[in-house]
Amino acid sequence: MASTLTFPKGGVHPPESKELTENLPIEVMPLPAELDLILGQHIGAPCTPTVAKRAVVAEGDLIAEVKKGLGVPLHAPVSGTVKAIGVSAHPLRVTTPSITLSVDREAGAKQWTMVDWQQMSAQDLLQKVHDAGIVGIGGAGFPTHVKLKPPADTPIDTLLLNGAECEPYITADHRSMVEKAEQIVTGARILAKILAVDTCYIGIENNKPEAIKAMTEAARAAGGGGCQVTVVVLQVKYPQGSEKQLIQAITGRKVPAMALPSAVGVVVQNVSTARAVYEAVTLNKPLLEKVVTISGRGIRRPANLLVKIGTRVSDIADYCGGTTGDLAKVVLGGPMMGFAISTLDVPVTKTTSSVLFLTEAEIDTRSMSACIRCGWCLEACPMGLEPKEIGIYVEAGLAEKTEPFGVFECFECGSCAYVCPAKRPLVQFVRLAKMKAKRS
Ligand code: SF4
Ligand code: SF4
């Protein structure tokens, strides 16, 4: 399935490494004994618990909500008892406030009743998306209902669904598109009704022929019905799935520096977010679980698992047969944008797309050296930034002077660091520069 459609500037081609899981059907992981529900699951304000210690909760019950500011509620992924309102391990911080739930494994799964979404108003649909606690599943976890309500002075004419899944190893969206194509297309139509648009494109890279076929057939079967859903086949290039690159590849529109996609009339959602919207609206089911790719050569049995939010990585590792003796690093997310974790106590959140168990042979262990000014990082940057200069300024203690090199436009894709022959930690330099420039 050849396609040359892609974004025009920069980009890299890391080894895809998807062969470990791309043909493995989604498997439901049995319930663990406990879940840790982190209260700050998304960008914005963290939730405040609405339950007390020892409270008995049923699957889908509200357990925390955002009282003030940007955010969405949190629900009990299963029936059980609140064991503690305390702290859990966090992928970036040492610990973070959380609710620990003792799981009632005898309770049985809740039966969700189907409703007809076509009779609902756009406002009611939007409210359901909020009430179900949906955030952008594939990325930073921006509350979805906020993205669906752009400012009145920025008219939206196009919905883009991101099915690129351009990070190596990860196949969670791929398997969802193959196995749940109809639900994703219905989710797209619900999103289109909320946004009042009649055009939706679903971008998929050409290394996923099965997903392209399933989604094309589902889109055809759905017909027009208020919104024309079209699958667009994209060239394999990282970071194809980032919002600005996807928009330019599919619509040709260039989002201005520091602006949001709505500035060019587009809203982007991930395909798995569309599926969560489908469940929220047609089943009244909150976001309780997600498909997570478990991969890398450091885990005995790679898998695409449907896990409850709050499941600890240690329980996942046990279920997948344990780790191999040569395990060197565990990464939450993809190898390009993910974060290495130091403890397997970290739980899955609404934004976790994969857990990678990597051996030494799969990671780059070379140490950093001085910049040789080869310019490769400039060529690789899809935003046309100057990561080399940012690094040099940060090392010289001048982080707050990096704004002219576009530090705030950097979305930390890691393409520059990937190509750097001197193994310079360019993304870490950018993060530090952002922090210091904001403070200055
Ligand atoms: S991490 Fe930032 S600077 Fe580096 S390539 Fe990506 S956008 Fe450019
Ligand atoms: S790729 Fe690395 S060595 Fe080359 S210019 Fe950029 S920072 Fe310097």
Side-chain angles (χ1 to χ4, degrees):
M1 221 166 276
S3 170
T4 53
L5 204 58
T6 188
F7 56 95
K9 196 181 279 179
V12 292
H13 295 91
E16 294 173 26
S17 304
K18 293 184 188 266
E19 65 283 357
L20 288 173
T21 54
E22 66 190 342
N23 295 318
L24 300 178
I26 298 167
E27 180 186 338
V28 180
M29 180 176 157
L31 296 179
E34 289 181 356
L35 299 176
D36 289 324
L37 286 310
I38 289 179
L39 292 171
Q41 295 263 341
H42 49 69
I43 284 178
C47 289
T48 304
T50 55
V51 289
K53 190 176 169 182
R54 286 187 280 280
V56 175
V57 295
E59 181 179 342
D61 281 358
L62 180 77
I63 57 168
E65 62 185 350
V66 171
K67 297 240 159 74
K68 211 172 156 195
L70 185 77
V72 293
L74 184 63
H75 304 81
V78 289
S79 298
T81 308
V82 176
K83 181 183 172 188
I85 296 180
V87 292
S88 302
H90 188 272
L92 300 179
R93 294 181 281 276
V94 180
T95 57
T96 188
S98 70
I99 297 175
T100 299
L101 209 60
S102 293
V103 176
D104 178 356
R105 292 197 254 200
E106 305 303 317
K110 179 167 176 169
Q111 299 304 311
W112 304 93
T113 314
M114 189 72 106
V115 295
D116 181 6
W117 67 273
Q118 311 233 35
Q119 305 306 319
M120 294 180 209
S121 69
Q123 189 54 40
D124 289 346
L125 294 171
L126 185 64
Q127 189 63 44
K128 275 180 179 282
V129 171
H130 167 270
D131 294 349
I134 299 179
V135 299
I137 282 178
F142 200 81
T144 299
H145 70 283
V146 179
K147 259 178 127 179
L148 295 175
K149 224 180 149 190
D153 58 348
T154 53
I156 303 297
D157 61 18
T158 305
L159 168 67
L160 280 196
L161 283 202
N162 178 7
E165 203 166 52
C166 57
E167 271 265 13
Y169 288 93
I170 311 179
T171 55
D173 286 347
H174 172 215
R175 289 312 310 179
S176 296
M177 287 190 283
V178 171
E179 298 175 42
K180 307 288 179 190
E182 253 177 64
Q183 296 180 4
I184 293 170
V185 169
T186 304
R189 294 175 63 212
I190 294 168
L191 291 166
K193 181 165 177 180
I194 295 172
L195 291 164
V197 299
D198 57 13
T199 305
C200 170
Y201 297 112
I202 305 178
I204 309 176
E205 285 190 341
N206 63 15
N207 58 354
K208 304 175 188 64
E210 248 194 297
I212 291 166
K213 183 168 177 281
M215 293 296 294
T216 304
E217 281 169 9
R220 197 175 295 135
C227 176
Q228 190 63 48
V229 180
T230 308
V231 172
V232 180
V233 180
L234 300 162
Q235 188 186 320
V236 177
K237 188 166 76 169
Y238 180 86
Q240 189 81 253
S242 81
E243 285 192 339
K244 290 184 178 179
Q245 279 61 39
L246 195 67
I247 291 169
Q248 200 166 3
I250 294 180
T251 68
R253 300 176 196 174
K254 190 169 185 309
V255 182
M258 306 305 290
L260 294 171
S262 56
V264 294
V266 179
V267 166
V268 183
Q269 297 286 351
N270 178 271
V271 286
S272 291
T273 308
R275 182 164 173 249
V277 166
Y278 160 84
E279 290 196 333
V281 167
T282 66
L283 300 174
N284 278 323
K285 183 178 174 184
L287 181 53
L288 309 178
E289 58 202 6
K290 64 175 317 216
V291 180
V292 180
T293 297
I294 314 302
S295 194
R297 286 170 175 80
I299 187 83
R300 293 197 190 280
R301 193 175 67 80
N304 292 299
L305 292 185
L306 182 67
V307 303
K308 296 293 178 187
I309 288 156
T311 302
R312 293 176 191 140
V313 170
S314 54
D315 287 322
I316 291 175
D318 288 347
Y319 178 67
C320 290
T323 56
T324 59
D326 52 351
L327 175 70
K329 197 180 193 181
V330 182
V331 173
L332 224 54
M336 300 295 283
M337 291 188 77
F339 294 90
I341 54 173
S342 56
T343 166
L344 299 191
D345 292 339
V346 170
V348 165
T349 68
K350 291 179 179 180
T351 59
T352 308
S353 51
S354 66
V355 186
L356 305 182
F357 295 83
L358 304 174
T359 61
E360 201 138 311
E362 294 174 284
I363 59 177
D364 192 347
T365 52
R366 289 173 300 147
S367 40
M368 159 188 163
S369 53
C371 172
I372 56 168
R373 299 185 181 269
C374 63
W376 291 3
C377 55
L378 279 78
E379 274 172 42
C381 180
M383 299 298 291
L385 310 180
E386 296 187 57
K388 150 175 92 70
E389 297 299 335
I390 296 170
I392 290 169
Y393 271 66
V394 169
E395 276 190 316
L398 299 168
E400 62 286 354
K401 298 206 183 309
T402 51
E403 211 171 332
F405 306 117
V407 71
F408 287 112
E409 283 182 69
C410 168
F411 61 101
E412 300 173 21
C413 70
S415 299
C416 51
Y418 175 75
V419 296
C420 176
K423 190 74 187 84
R424 292 176 58 74
L426 296 169
V427 180
Q428 282 84 342
F429 285 147
V430 165
R431 286 185 190 137
L432 199 67
K434 279 182 187 170
M435 220 165 64
K436 297 215 167 162
K438 264 185 208 156
R439 280 195 202 138
S440 67

